[in-house]
Amino acid sequence: MTTIQSILEKSGYVITDGAMGTVLFSSGLDQGDPPELWNVDYPDRVAAVHQAYYDAGAQVMLTNTFGGNRYRLMLHNAQDRVAEVNQAAAAILREVVSKNDNQAVVAGDIGPSGQVLTPYGELSFQEAKEGFAQQAEALISAGVDVIWIETMSDLEEVRAAVEGARQVSADIPVVTTMTFDTHGHTMMGVSPEQALETLTPLRPLALGGNCGNGPEEIIEVIQKMHAVDPDMTLVAKANAGIPELVKGRPVYRASPATMADYAVKSYQAGARIIGACCGSTPDHVKAISQALAAHTQR
Amino acid sequence: MNDEIDISQLETAEILELIQDDLYDGLADEVVVSVKELLNRDMTPYDVLTQGLVAGMAVVGNDFRDGILFVPEVLMAAKAMKAGMEILRPLLVETGAPQVGSMVIGTVKGDIHDIGKNLVAMMMEGAGFNVINLGINTDADAFIDAIREHNVDILGMSALLTTTMPYMQVVIDALKDQGLREQIIVLVGGAPLNEAFAEEIGADAYCRDAAVAVETAKKLIAIKRGQLT
Amino acid sequence: MPSGRKGSVPRGSNLLQAAQELGVELESICGGRQTCGKCQVIIESGHFPKHGLTSHPDHLSPPSPLESEYDQEHNLNGRRLACAAEILADVLITVPEESQAHKQIIAKEATQRFIEIDPAIRQVYVEVEPPELGDPRGEWERIALALEKQWSLQELTIDSKLLPDLQSSLRAGDYKVTVTLWQDKEVVRIQPGYSEGSYGVAIDIGSTTVVAHLCDLRTGDVLATQATMNPQVRFGEDLMSRISYINSEPQGFVRMNRMIIKSINELIEKATAKADLTPQDITDVVAVGNTVMHHIFLGINPTQLGVAPFALAIDSPIDLKARDLGLSIHLSGRVHLLPIIAGHVGADNVGVMLAESPQEQDEVTLIVDVGTNAEIILGDKNKVYVASSPTGPAFEGAQITHGQRAAPGAIERIRIDPKTLEPRFKVIGYPQWIASGSNGLIPSEVKATGICGSGIIEAIAELFLAGIIDSKGHFLSTSADRSSRVHYDVGEAYYVLVDEQLSSTGSPIVITQEDVRAIQLAKAALYAGTKLLMDHRSITKIDRVILAGAFGTFISPYHAMVLGLIPDCDLDKVNAVGNAAGDGARLALLNKQLRLKAARIARTVEYVETPLATNFQDEFVAALNLPHASDPFPHLDGVLPLPTVEVQKKRKNRIRSKYRSRS
């Protein structure tokens, strides 16, 4: 069976996929609409994106469920559809992976609740954990291999998500990444070093950084984390550049070549699970895949 | 901590400093105590507001911008400010503190970020504006209803996602359709925005932080009322 | 330099001719008429087993009457005029350096360079057949014939302005004249008798500074250098504002053109006066400058250079008569302008490339011409690329609180002690380093007036090394705790470099957060431009770096690298060369082959449009950090402050901490 560990043992590094939301815009998704509902309404288009990433070299792929928790779905009046949407998403990805000889890992994507936890905000730890458990239940029942918690800013929220997932399955592997886009810290003031120190006791399979202000930022995060614990498996999933507003729409400017360069630098800094985030496309992942293959062969 | 200092022994200037620093440290109860003491000493509510709370918030805003404070600290400071405002608000109305203008503010539909917006709302209130805060995920109809109901001078819109920013255009177009655009000042803000975007969608100005928002609002209102050219 | 030439010649052969046949180039201006004295040689005495011969001065014919005359006037000191001697037996000849034609010299002045002398101007001495009744040929035609017969020069033309004085010159010289030729094609000067001395001027027309080097075209010596501020500066510090001025003022262009010509004429006057010459002794000029300067100098309105597609009127090298431009040199004197590369990379860069020759090296060279519009040249013998990067005037002192141009009183060097944060600095015009305690020891007229470009670069780098600013360029509040020189407050931060007692203005000279930002922006633009050129060529490593520009002489390579102005490179191979453009002009003046080379360089260099490149933005942002967000700098290992795990501290609660400490 293909697992993250088996890929690491074989080639020393793992390639993840790239953005889903921004790629779906070009398939007709409207700005402001939730991509998660397409798992039910347009499953073929979602499957096509997964396939494209697989073809580009992705070995771990994320389900289209970034905003699939009840708090985010509430904004679109879909809070009752958590199970439906998450199961559909996992099934779609599982099918794509099966078709490709099960040569990839299915990761259940869990993103932030969008709320601020107490005491600074209104959402309690328990409420957050319940929401994440609900999402994890749907994902795990539909057969994901790994729970992938990403784009987090608050350490307590990460804990809520990890505990929520473990409530459903005590030994499901968990990967978690945070977004360090505010003066080298997350929005809530967490430094990469702090993240690594606080989250290690939760026994994640890997941890790292994703999203944010572009490749350079992620490389710095990896450097700092690696300095604290050279043995932890680190994840780098940078945006394809810093978004620029072009006619009111965000455009991510980094070329595949730039992302290839970042992939190698991340690897040199200590990352072993490498991919891309917002603004990226299968072309970027392909460039990353090729660059790392070339780099590690020397 | 309160027992450490007997504020009745402090100079008025020292209490103002204390309010600023306690606000910075998010000490809501202490701020309330200091505010009450200053009012006891016959300082006008307006002066307590501007020299204490608003001055303290300015430092918070600055250090947030420079990466010394992060969201948690800012939220705690905002709570302390709110606690102080609870005391001052009714007194400001009573003493006829200058009502500079009124504003409806909200985060646009699909967006749930409200920290920045709340900061703006608070600073605007601190500056003497009447603020109606519609919260997050606000659609065009909700904005327009509120504008009509309260007959405000300013509409403030906030968005933190590049995917929700375009909705601001939808709101502005709705204002035009309903013949409301001319009589209202539209200010927009949020991390991914910039001046060019504000111009493109037809807003009056882009405000990069709460302090700029207050200054811009004052200026544009003065122009609108013919006080400035 | 021993040429090692050896040969057998028939007895009685002329020594000069024999030498030339053997490929030894001896100087000769008078064409072997024993008049110019340039072909002096030393006859060795003794037995030389290595060469298998015995040499002796007697093995040459005795000195001729003309040679003896020359000896009496000029003292040959035992040497012989090769043109006057015949070889009677074996001789070993040593050719002294002065007698070598096309000699290699090391030009003294700002930079040492090896130049082969082969100017466009040369003088030859001829004896002309006087006119006779029955021989109707014109006197010019006779000169031309003499030049053909004695020097094998054919199809010559003569500058028309020489005709009025032609006949009187011939007669004054008794039909022996010294003819000055341009490119062996046209006669530009006729002097009676034997006259020696041809001079030229190399001019670098910079946006801010204009420099002229007066050169002896025969020896290659720089006789005088004169510089002045470009008078156009008053119409605009940068080029675009000058073009705007031209567009808005009806007489704007005419005024600018006249001013620069006048300025250059004045430079030439002063320079020639210094060398006891007159402007009329100048027969050749080579000028370089950026495209706008180039066009205005030529009398071409540069308006098109202000808008895309930035079209030039001409980009090839051009030869003109000086009088057509209004330059006051010899009436028939010539001007040559080096070619231009694309819309913004001017003749001055071609000059830089002539001087530094990156296109001939195996190693990858990066040349950065630091200025308002920085030019970046990168490549090796396979290909050279060039780009310009809009850096802005921050490096020349603009946009900096206490920034100024380099002038006496400006701070040009700075060091900050990393422990005490105390500064020391050096001011232009005063040899000693000044530290805060040196109040009483400094003459008041050398008090610091401001900081010039090289000083600012060192300042920012030193602030970073001392931990006063972090790698993002932000002042650290913790540094305010370490020294009272650092002020850190809401919305403003600065470092006091010069206390008021040491400042000429009476108020302190500071470096502010905004100043740091301005320099970051400028250097990021430069670095990003360099990076894009490197990507273009798939270069990841640079072998040597040259920092050029009138301002470049004083840049410290170490500080430039700490700042991240240039990419990582072996510091021993980073050099500041001063005014390479001016050197290039001088090279082209002294060696006409280099003019052809310049034309080739301009054609083969590839121009890369940087801001258009899609990842310019990303590179720019990454380059804002000191020295860079992610590019490694192994040559600065151990030097750079550790990646700041600086926890920016929250402010203290003033009242509570005061009272807490009391109880």
Side-chain angles (χ1 to χ4, degrees), chain C residues 370-601:
Chain C
V370 185
T372 306
N373 217 49
E375 269 86 35
I376 305 159
I377 299 167
L378 177 71
D380 61 19
K381 62 175 197 273
N382 294 318
K383 186 78 179 177
V384 175
Y385 297 86
V386 66
S388 54
S389 209
T391 13
F395 287 127
E396 287 165 292
Q399 300 172 345
I400 306 292
T401 315
H402 287 111
Q404 62 162 100
R405 277 196 240 283
I411 296 172
E412 57 171 354
R413 311 234 87 127
I414 295 173
R415 294 288 181 277
I416 298 177
D417 184 299
K419 291 206 181 63
T420 63
L421 303 190
E422 283 299 298
R424 317 178 275 142
F425 53 89
K426 239 169 146 288
V427 146
I428 294 178
Y430 189 69
Q432 248 102 300
W433 284 86
I434 302 169
S436 53
S438 26
N439 190 15
L441 309 167
I442 304 165
S444 57
E445 64 270 17
V446 232
K447 290 199 174 172
T449 51
I451 314 174
C452 70
S454 61
I456 268 289
I457 286 178
E458 293 196 9
I460 312 291
E462 289 284 315
L463 285 174
F464 175 51
L465 291 170
I468 296 171
I469 60 180
D470 65 10
S471 60
K472 290 193 167 58
H474 293 152
F475 270 80
L476 291 170
S477 58
T478 45
S479 61
D481 299 332
R482 292 164 64 198
S483 164
S484 56
R485 284 193 177 274
V486 181
H487 292 250
Y488 186 90
D489 210 340
V490 180
E492 76 167 358
Y494 58 88
Y495 174 83
V496 179
L497 177 65
V498 182
D499 304 317
E500 46 205 43
Q501 316 91 281
L502 296 174
S503 151
S504 72
T505 60
S507 21
I509 293 179
V510 303
I511 300 164
T512 68
Q513 179 69 80
E514 286 71 32
D515 294 341
V516 175
R517 189 68 178 164
I519 291 293
Q520 277 177 282
L521 292 171
K523 74 101 180 171
L526 194 52
Y527 189 95
T530 304
K531 220 28 209 316
L532 285 169
L533 270 191
M534 285 169 73
D535 286 346
H536 211 83
R537 199 93 214 255
S538 305
I539 294 174
T540 45
K541 181 175 161 292
I542 293 181
D543 300 314
R544 62 181 195 130
V545 178
I546 294 170
L547 292 162
F551 149 73
T553 333
F554 307 108
I555 301 181
S556 152
Y558 170 71
H559 289 86
M561 203 182 287
V562 168
L563 199 62
L565 181 67
I566 51 175
D568 184 67
C569 178
D570 183 352
L571 275 167
D572 289 333
K573 294 183 109 172
V574 179
N575 294 299
V577 298
N579 191 354
D583 283 347
R586 202 157 43 91
L587 290 170
L589 178 69
L590 295 173
N591 186 322
K592 61 180 185 285
Q593 301 301 330
L594 293 179
R595 301 180 196 192
L596 297 172
K597 190 171 173 191
R600 277 196 308 272
I601 290 173

Side-chain angles (χ1 to χ4, degrees), chain A residues 183-184 193 216 219-220 223-224 241-242 244 253-255 258 265, chain C residues 472 474 531 614-615 617-618 621-622 625 628-631 644-645:
Chain A
H183 300 280
E193 294 90 341
E216 310 294 356
I219 292 169
E220 218 179 287
Q223 282 168 342
K224 289 180 177 167
I242 302 161
E244 262 175 58
R253 291 256 189 233
S255 61
T258 307
K265 283 190 182 149
Chain C
K472 290 193 167 58
H474 293 152
K531 220 28 209 316
T614 44
N615 48 338
Q617 174 85 325
D618 292 336
V621 170
N625 279 31
H628 193 270
S630 56
D631 285 356
T644 27
V645 187

